[in-house]
Amino acid sequence: MGKGGENYGKRDGSGSRPSDKEIYPAWAKDVDQCLKKYDVHKDFGLSSDKVEKQRRIYGLNELEKHDGPSIWSLILEQFNDTLVRILLAAAVISFVLAWYDGDEGGEMEITAFVEPLVIFLILIVNAAVGVWQENNAEKALEALKEIQSEHAAVIREGKKISSLPAKDLVPGDIVELRVGDKIPADMRVLSLISSTVRVEQGSLTGESEAVNKTNKAVPEDTDIQGKRCMVFAGTTVVNGNCICLVTQTGMNTEIGKVHSQIHSASQNDDDTPLKKKLNEFGEVLTAIIGVICALVWLINVRYFLTWDYVNGWPSNFKFSFEKCTYYFEIAVALAVAAIPEGLPAVITTCLALGTRKMAQKNALVRKLPSVETLGCTTVICSDKTGTLTTNQMAVAKLVAMGPRADITRTFKVEGTTYNPVDGRIHDWPTGGMDANLQTIAKIAAVCNDAGVAESGHHHVATGMPTEAALKVMVEKMGLPKQCADTSLGSTDVLRCCQQWNNIARRIATLEFDRDRKSMGVIVRSDSGNSLLVKGAVENLLERSSYVQLLDGSVVKMDQSSKDLILRSLHEMSTAALRCLGFAYKKEIAEFDTYDGDEDHPAHKLLLNPSNYSSIESDLIFVGLVGLRDPPREEVHSAIEDCRAAGIRVMVITGDNKNTAEAICREIGVFGPQEDISLKSLTGKEFMGLCDQKRHLRQSGGLLFSRAEPRHKQEIVRLLKEDGEVVAMTGDGVNDAPALKLADIGIAMGIAGTEVAKEASDMVLADDNFSTIVSAVGEGRSIYDNMKAFIRYMISSNIGEVASIFLTAALGIPEGLIPVQLLWVNLVTDGPPATALGFNPPDKDIMKKPPRRSDDSLISAWILFRYLVIGIYVGLATVGVFVIWYTHGSFMGIDLSKDGHTLLTYSQLSNWGHCSSWEGFTVSPFTAGAQVFSFDNPCDYFQAGKVKAMTLSLSVLVAIEMFNSLNALSEDGSLLTMPPWVNPWLLLAMSVSFGLHFLIMYVPFLAQVFAIVPLSLNEWLLVLAVAFPVILIDEILKFVGRCTSGSRQSNAIKSLKLKSD
């Protein structure tokens, strides 16, 4: 494919088919050379033998079907996660222990099986969600196949086959293309049947307008946009007919290369920044759990393994399998306590809520993790056409003639859409339209084949966008008073244009062609026949002998008036405006009596386009307009928001350099006077740089014009390698590979192709760049809230670990059993953690720089804070257990009313030796309506610990509810951010307490969770022990606020060192 496409073949060539380096550069060869290369005659086509020979070499003209990963590999992939593997191990061990305990029968059998079954259920649901998301990955490739042509008109063996299946095409086939055809393969244009052929190929190349095709060769190193003699598979003929030669089929076409790139990008899906952090956290957690489990065993080894010393050497070893199993269960409980089982469910819920918020802002999220990824976006790579601009041509300037030939008048035209009431014309004459402006309006309205119609809340164009923009301008100009027609309804979108068409009825058309670069129409009006012409300004000036002045008078065009018009043209061209001129001719002798009748002598002149230039001579020039695809009004402020938020904007477009630079200056990517010689490159220039990453590291905005799909993909790849989190926008087929490769691919909902949408993570319902910026703000808010509930859940788990560790270290009976810990982690903690996802965003959220993808989820200071909180949770839960056994009252709260027996701490910590205590007895005690009595006093430490366990569990639940209030803000006090700023959190706390009451006061559930009802005094004790967690964290937050300045400066220094 020449130098513009060489790298494709190196990357994508497969099998026995020819790679791109062997591809014949048909665009650089003349027609005869191409026909000779493929050994074919234009009028005869290929013979059957040659077709079979070519098919054996090149295969069918269709895109390959890549087999996606099997369902089993997808399922196994879901368990490739450290936290999940720990959970799985804990569930298996719990199940084995439950099975072992079940051999003894009894009530505890039900309780023991609850824990492993619940963990298994969590893992199954998590795997199912993951498989469902992965299974959608290949849909972009299927959507790509939908845009392929199904049939083609082919000449073979001298006969025309009008509807040959497109998959049967081979290189060397001769194909006839007509207006409306979808092009079936990459082809070389051999000859034009009509005067012009235009192809809409923007979805593949990124160009904003349909492209005129020719059969003339171009240089071999021309980029894809410059290959004017080539037509590409999947694009559409919008005007004209031509004969073409098939040069590439199937995977060797440009669209085939895009297909390969999408497949390649889909194989390289990286984890989201949050997933990476959670994986790192899981690995650390695994090490911590291993160390703590080992410590628990070492501390308690004396209980299940004893020995005597004989002559200084250990002997007479005694091993208790029952006690070994008991402490093994404690180790399992430790693993369950350390893992935040509810975290996956809460993250999914929070992301799902985030998608709803974003949908309200016109950002439709297709993949849940992309919500969080948006929050740490550091670079937005945006397409220009349709994203930063409206993708609707609009007139920006109108230049009319003045009262003298050496004076022109310039009018600024507002509006960025096809809606005629969108904007107005500045400095418009108050006394109505003069004769010169009326002539401009008439030519723009009548010498025009486009239309504009309402479609829902939008106005859409039919025909050429530039012509539609001219009709919108005519509507803004209005009608002269003498031409007003009350018969036309005020609701007609193009009422002024209709009126001009009634005044000047078209009877013949001189079609546009690439040589004279103009279009003309012969019209009949009350004053007779006349010729109206519009086209390239320079070409019209060459054929114009006169100029019309403001009052309608006509004077000879001299060099000064011509230079004046050319200066206006130069000013508009340098501002990247596309210029069209208007002219007319009053005296058209041959057509004075022509009325469209084919028998009229003048009709023969119209049948030969070579006559058009002579007909369009001695014209009267009246004015010119500058058109453009205007930037969206809100984009400039969105770019400013990005700059304030520390997000760099890079514009990557297939459009030409001058147009793209002008738009970038206007929307604020570049400053008005900024030197952009090093910041604006074509895709080809960028690929030729020695140090591409250095170019991408420049501060401020960057522009890449004339970019091909591989350029976009390479830019995204390099940015990701440099540690950037990249959001890529696009709407065309050419954008799909980069959308797939980016951290978050954003497709256009209105103008986007299905290929782009399926390859994306998010779809913009309004195709608006500013929607991305608001979505980034929402993503940041969601991430902050996720950090809040992750900190909350992890701090709670640290407390549970501390509780179990202290229990084992002190040698007291187990205060919390695994099923209770699982209930707290999954159910009780779930509602507050989810509610933290509703925290209001910080007011300055888009004034902060984006977090780096390697920023730690939990900083050293936050970890220290939650270690302090966790230690307090452990002390409180173990402490209340010890208080119930050893104290009849605490802080003035009477605990003796239930009649339980008080012990010394020494007795409690040596409960395993209870059977050797002489005269040890215990009294019955009450819990709600139940009475607990003991035939064996030692059962007081097992079945009798139910009240103390209930107190420990209740303290744990209460502390975690208070701790959720601490998580409202990382450093903000509850005095400045009170609980009612998030009413959902207060509701969630009520729900969690309600669930705790449910399992405590419903007998069946109380039996499952091994707890009993508490009295009012006992609840007062719970609250008294739990409440200090708020005071402790307030002190820590105060210290954090006082030292935050020094921590931030240290972080900035380390960042600078990293970048250096």
Side-chain angles (χ1 to χ4, degrees), residues 130-142:
V131 168
W132 174 75
Q133 287 187 343
E134 293 286 338
N135 219 20
N136 286 332
E138 295 299 311
K139 286 193 175 176
L141 301 180
E142 295 303 315

Side-chain angles (χ1 to χ4, degrees), residues 981-1017:
V981 299
N982 186 349
W984 292 103
L985 180 58
L986 298 177
L987 177 63
M989 290 171 63
S990 304
V991 169
S992 291
F993 270 124
L995 290 169
H996 185 62
F997 292 149
L998 185 72
I999 65 167
M1000 187 182 294
Y1001 293 104
V1002 173
F1004 168 73
L1005 294 174
Q1007 182 182 353
V1008 169
F1009 288 96
I1011 55 178
V1012 292
L1014 296 180
S1015 66
L1016 177 62
N1017 275 11

Side-chain angles (χ1 to χ4, degrees), residues 500-526:
W500 283 116
N501 275 279
N502 290 341
I503 293 168
R505 185 174 61 85
R506 191 199 298 197
I507 55 176
T509 302
L510 283 64
E511 290 180 350
F512 175 92
D513 68 48
R514 63 183 181 278
D515 295 322
R516 74 185 208 286
K517 294 182 181 178
S518 62
M519 169 191 175
V521 293
I522 298 172
V523 297
R524 168 162 285 191
S525 61
D526 294 340

Side-chain angles (χ1 to χ4, degrees), residues 582-612:
F582 303 109
Y584 74 102
K585 187 176 182 180
K586 196 73 175 170
E587 304 294 333
I588 43 174
E590 305 95 327
F591 297 93
D592 273 347
T593 58
Y594 180 68
D595 59 359
D597 187 355
E598 293 183 5
D599 296 327
H600 193 283
H603 185 74
K604 292 179 182 178
L605 296 172
L606 298 175
L607 298 179
N608 187 356
S610 63
N611 296 323
Y612 293 174

Side-chain angles (χ1 to χ4, degrees), residues 390-572:
T390 62
N391 200 22
Q392 299 183 14
M393 293 299 288
V395 176
K397 276 190 179 179
L398 164 62
V399 176
M401 301 311 296
R404 299 196 312 270
D406 59 349
I407 296 175
T408 57
R409 298 171 291 163
T410 302
F411 301 96
K412 180 184 175 184
V413 184
E414 286 183 342
T416 57
T417 68
Y418 292 128
N419 186 351
V421 298
D422 174 21
R424 63 187 182 88
I425 303 176
H426 287 260
D427 304 320
W428 196 242
T430 53
M433 293 169 65
D434 52 66
N436 179 237
L437 292 174
Q438 289 180 41
T439 307
I440 292 173
K442 180 166 66 173
I443 298 170
V446 181
C447 188
N448 196 317
D449 292 323
V452 175
E454 282 188 82
S455 176
H457 299 294
H458 303 281
H459 286 72
V460 295
T462 54
M464 294 296 293
T466 49
E467 292 192 333
L470 293 178
K471 286 203 168 180
V472 172
M473 178 193 71
V474 173
E475 297 304 311
K476 292 175 182 176
M477 293 172 78
L479 288 169
K481 293 176 182 177
Q482 69 271 20
C483 296
D485 187 346
T486 55
S487 66
L488 287 172
S490 59
T491 57
D492 294 333
V493 176
L494 299 177
R495 56 186 297 273
C496 297
C497 292
Q498 289 177 39
Q499 181 69 348
W500 283 116
N501 275 279
N502 290 341
I503 293 168
R505 185 174 61 85
R506 191 199 298 197
I507 55 176
T509 302
L510 283 64
E511 290 180 350
F512 175 92
D513 68 48
R514 63 183 181 278
D515 295 322
R516 74 185 208 286
K517 294 182 181 178
S518 62
M519 169 191 175
V521 293
I522 298 172
V523 297
R524 168 162 285 191
S525 61
D526 294 340
S527 58
N529 289 0
S530 58
L531 173 69
L532 309 180
V533 185
K534 77 169 190 303
V537 179
E538 300 100 320
N539 294 56
L540 287 191
L541 285 175
E542 286 175 10
R543 287 179 273 138
S544 295
S545 303
Y546 307 92
V547 62
Q548 185 194 50
L549 302 182
L550 180 148
D551 59 0
S553 59
V554 176
V555 298
K556 193 78 175 171
M557 178 181 285
D558 55 18
Q559 191 59 43
S560 63
S561 57
K562 193 172 184 177
D563 290 343
L564 180 65
I565 295 166
L566 287 171
R567 276 199 299 274
S568 297
L569 172 66
H570 179 71
E571 285 175 13
M572 289 197 281

